Amino acid sequence: MPVLPTRTTGDAADDLAAASPNQPPVPSVAEQAQPEPPTLALPIEAESEALPLLSIIIDDVGNNRTAGERIIALPAPVALAIMPFTRNAQVLATLAAEAGKPVMLHLPMENLAGLAIGEGGLSTRMSQVDFDVQLQASLNAFTPIQGVNNHMGSKLTADRERMDWLMRQLAARQLFFVDSRTTKETQAAFAAQAGGVPSVSRDVFLDNERTQVELEREFRLVLARARKQGAAVLIGHPYPETLAFLERQLPGLEAREGVRLVSVQTLLSQPR
């Protein structure tokens, strides 16, 4: 069932993130970390038995096959959010599905910083016809797709009309939506709720800074959020530092921290 956005912290400087040759442009720090309004926490049905839940999504997948295969090999149902029309999109979607990992479309959307969003992007300048045609092309770019989240999108996700257009198409395909929350003005979760699209919002970005200290700090933050709210969503990127960090942290996490790693679909299925 739909949920409203969750709280996160974020007061990082508004500098732009440069894209590497092997990866699409990554949202600026200002896009990635925005203050968010309070919402309902996810209740735990039986506190004595139920564990806090954590879902992890890795964005910007599709260009680097080796990085994608490392994500698939992680010992948890980590979702691959794959960019449309990237050279390894289909092979990684197939491998992920065969391994039982969630597969999502990482849908490029117009941002306030004016960064290039790449092929398949949606903008506020599009008519509804053009918007729908481009959206359908991106949704058909690889298969299977179980859900969608936004790549950048600080401008488009604040446009309620276009978010309604998006949710109508997702509802027709029975897909879920994860709001990456690149702006505090986002309307995505509200449009999803109105359109009957299962949705959840990002709590923490793992790798705005890729030092060991910062990765550890953000990971401890999302674990604390999961314990406080009952569930949390962590988004990272296929940087070598991020993948190495997750390869160290995820084995034995439940026994060590008392937080259960689950797929996005499992988190969405929990009672609200």
Side-chain angles (χ1 to χ4, degrees):
M1 295 181 61
V3 293
L4 298 181
T6 51
R7 292 179 58 88
T8 82
T9 58
D11 56 1
D14 186 16
D15 39 276
L16 303 182
S20 74
N22 290 325
Q23 294 190 46
V26 176
S28 66
V29 171
E31 278 219 309
Q32 292 192 26
Q34 293 288 341
E36 302 170 14
T39 60
L40 297 177
L42 180 68
I44 297 178
E45 290 183 291
E47 292 188 17
S48 61
E49 298 179 5
L51 293 175
L53 307 179
L54 175 63
S55 290
I56 301 175
I57 300 167
I58 303 297
D59 284 352
D60 297 349
V61 178
N63 281 303
N64 187 316
R65 178 168 177 171
T66 300
E69 290 178 347
R70 286 179 71 183
I71 299 165
I72 294 168
L74 288 169
V78 175
L80 284 77
I82 300 174
M83 299 285 292
F85 311 111
T86 48
R87 60 182 175 270
N88 293 303
Q90 184 57 68
V91 67
L92 288 172
T94 299
L95 290 172
E98 289 174 350
K101 303 300 175 78
V103 179
M104 299 171 59
L105 170 65
H106 192 42
L107 184 61
M109 297 185 188
E110 185 179 4
N111 58 82
L112 290 168
L115 296 171
I117 57 177
E119 190 175 358
L122 302 175
S123 81
T124 58
R125 298 181 298 277
M126 289 179 167
S127 67
Q128 185 170 2
V129 170
D130 290 341
F131 186 99
D132 286 347
V133 168
Q134 182 61 80
L135 175 56
Q136 291 298 328
S138 294
L139 288 168
N140 291 331
F142 59 88
T143 186
I145 291 173
Q146 297 156 323
V148 174
N149 74 334
N150 52 295
H151 174 61
M152 303 190 188
S154 55
K155 187 170 185 178
L156 191 77
T157 58
D159 186 319
R160 176 58 188 268
E161 181 179 33
R162 284 166 178 78
M163 287 296 97
D164 287 337
W165 296 351
L166 171 67
M167 299 308 165
R168 279 197 287 271
Q169 298 295 334
L170 301 191
R173 292 186 180 228
Q174 298 184 311
L175 301 176
F176 63 82
F177 185 78
V178 176
D179 186 359
S180 299
R181 290 204 62 83
T182 55
T183 174
K184 64 182 179 180
E185 306 299 333
T186 180
Q187 297 296 304
F190 303 111
Q193 185 175 45
V197 174
S199 75
V200 70
S201 296
R202 182 269 308 166
D203 287 279
V204 174
F205 277 113
L206 176 61
D207 47 13
N208 285 342
E209 301 289 339
R210 286 176 261 167
T211 66
Q212 180 67 29
V213 169
E214 288 302 313
L215 290 167
E216 179 70 27
R217 189 182 76 85
E218 296 304 310
F219 195 68
R220 303 309 304 181
L221 175 61
V222 82
L223 293 178
R225 288 280 171 80
R227 294 183 183 111
K228 180 178 179 180
Q229 301 170 172
V233 176
L234 177 68
I235 293 182
H237 300 85
Y239 304 127
E241 301 92 336
T242 300
L243 298 182
F245 179 82
L246 292 175
E247 286 164 351
R248 292 192 301 271
Q249 291 292 327
L250 298 191
L253 181 73
E254 183 174 326
R256 190 171 66 251
E257 299 289 348
V259 174
R260 178 165 295 159
L261 294 163
V262 298
S263 68
V264 180
Q265 298 96 311
T266 297
L267 193 151
L268 285 166
S269 71
Q270 299 302 301
R272 300 300 197 260

